[in-house]
Amino acid sequence: MSKKKISTKNLFFLKSFMKTFALLMLPLAIISAYSLYRFHQDSVQTMEARNRNMIYQIKTQADSMFHTVDLLTDFLSGSASTNNTLQDIFLQETPSALSSKQARALILALQSIVSSNEYSHSCYLYYENAFGRYIATSNGLSYVHNYSDSSWLKSCQDYPSDFWYETKEISTYSLTPDKNVFAIYQKLYSRYSAVLPIGVLVTYFDVDSFQDYINSFILYPDQTILFLQEGKTPLFQTDDKDFSDIWEPLALKLDTTDGYQAFTVKYDGTSYLVSLVPASREGLFYVSLVPRKALAQQTGPLMSA
């Protein structure tokens, strides 16, 4: 048999083998590609589910602060006897023995409600009076000119809304370090008239304790949790990154009438996966921001596309 015939036979065998091999490998390649696609999709869905669960757990705890304020407000406006007690405490030029006793009972009731929330720090109750008198759960019946933290009263007098909040530092005593608090302000009205406010309730919550709680839920490197007011800079965040202008790109995709939402935004040159849910107070949102490159480390290069 000549070498030419052997080469021809070998070539024919090789071509047949390659065709057969290609036909055998094609289903495997399709299955492998589909498996990678499904793995990617399942990974994305798993991450979205984890983010959703995380942001709802944060919402539950954060909304509990507003619930505490609601309990305090309901208690103060719930009965005529409470209203009369408040008038006795605040409107007498010199508190009587009876009004002082009533004040102590009222403070105990307020302390009981405040302590029901693990993040509560203190609350202040002010009814319009000519003496600068107010009640604080931390130090009882007090006077504005005798207490180091009276900035809350100026905030109340300057703000036009009935309900608002801010993050601030307070100093109760000159020798103690400043405390980071989340302050919730609620103007109070007479149970007989809702025309003009007669006072204000200010409730402080410990930011550091709440941040420790949130940090236990951080899922990814460089993840940031924000409390974001509509149209404003972040009210609270878990790190010191500059998200002062984040509302603008969020607003382009955000449906303020909807519940939980997840989408991608680009901010300051970085692409972020956003998960957010509205708070129980209108205009406030709990937001998670995760760089997509951090997610790519979890699911591979497909996520960074």
Side-chain angles (χ1 to χ4, degrees), residues 19-207:
K19 287 181 180 179
T20 303
F21 180 77
L23 290 173
L24 289 173
M25 292 302 296
L26 181 60
L28 181 60
I30 294 173
I31 292 172
S32 297
Y34 178 76
S35 297
L36 287 173
Y37 171 78
R38 286 305 309 168
F39 172 76
H40 167 64
Q41 292 296 104
D42 291 345
S43 297
V44 170
Q45 291 175 5
T46 297
M47 286 190 298
E48 289 180 348
R50 291 177 67 190
N51 273 332
R52 182 187 179 97
N53 291 338
M54 175 209 63
I55 208 70
Y56 268 107
Q57 286 178 300
I58 291 173
K59 171 182 169 62
T60 297
Q61 291 296 316
D63 279 352
S64 72
M65 295 188 285
F66 298 118
H67 178 64
T68 299
V69 174
D70 290 340
L71 291 176
L72 289 165
T73 305
D74 291 345
F75 168 73
L76 293 170
S77 61
S79 69
S81 61
T82 302
N83 187 70
N84 293 335
T85 297
L86 291 169
Q87 291 186 26
D88 290 341
I89 294 171
F90 284 97
L91 302 183
Q92 294 180 8
E93 182 174 358
T94 302
S96 65
L98 176 60
S99 62
S100 296
K101 182 178 179 181
Q102 291 172 326
R104 287 193 295 272
L106 181 64
I107 291 165
L108 288 174
L110 294 176
Q111 287 173 337
S112 177
I113 297 173
V114 168
S115 63
S116 67
N117 187 294
E118 60 183 303
Y119 307 110
S120 296
H121 178 272
S122 57
C123 82
Y124 299 79
L125 173 63
Y126 176 82
Y127 266 53
E128 291 289 348
N129 67 92
F131 318 110
R133 190 179 296 154
Y134 69 95
I135 284 177
T137 54
S138 56
N139 65 326
L141 189 61
S142 305
Y143 293 85
V144 172
H145 57 272
N146 289 336
Y147 200 49
S148 60
D149 176 33
S150 58
S151 60
W152 56 272
L153 185 55
K154 180 170 175 28
S155 295
C156 301
Q157 293 168 338
D158 293 344
Y159 211 85
S161 300
D162 286 341
F163 185 93
W164 70 101
Y165 19 75
E166 65 177 343
T167 304
K168 56 186 284 189
E169 287 188 344
I170 62 169
S171 178
T172 306
Y173 302 102
S174 59
L175 297 179
T176 60
D178 290 347
K179 187 76 174 175
N180 291 319
V181 296
F182 180 53
I184 301 178
Y185 301 84
Q186 176 71 63
K187 287 186 179 178
L188 302 172
Y189 290 83
S190 167
R191 64 193 305 269
Y192 306 109
S193 173
V195 178
L196 294 174
I198 59 173
V200 66
L201 174 72
V202 185
T203 312
Y204 288 162
F205 296 88
D206 189 333
V207 167

Side-chain angles (χ1 to χ4, degrees), residues 65-66 159 163-168 181-185 207 225-230 232-238 243-244 246 279 283-286:
M65 295 188 285
F66 298 118
Y159 211 85
F163 185 93
W164 70 101
Y165 19 75
E166 65 177 343
T167 304
K168 56 186 284 189
V181 296
F182 180 53
I184 301 178
Y185 301 84
V207 167
I225 306 298
L226 305 175
F227 288 8
L228 191 61
Q229 290 179 271
E230 188 172 346
K232 297 184 179 180
T233 58
L235 183 67
F236 162 84
Q237 71 182 73
T238 52
F243 287 112
S244 56
I246 191 64
L284 181 66
F285 299 88
Y286 307 127

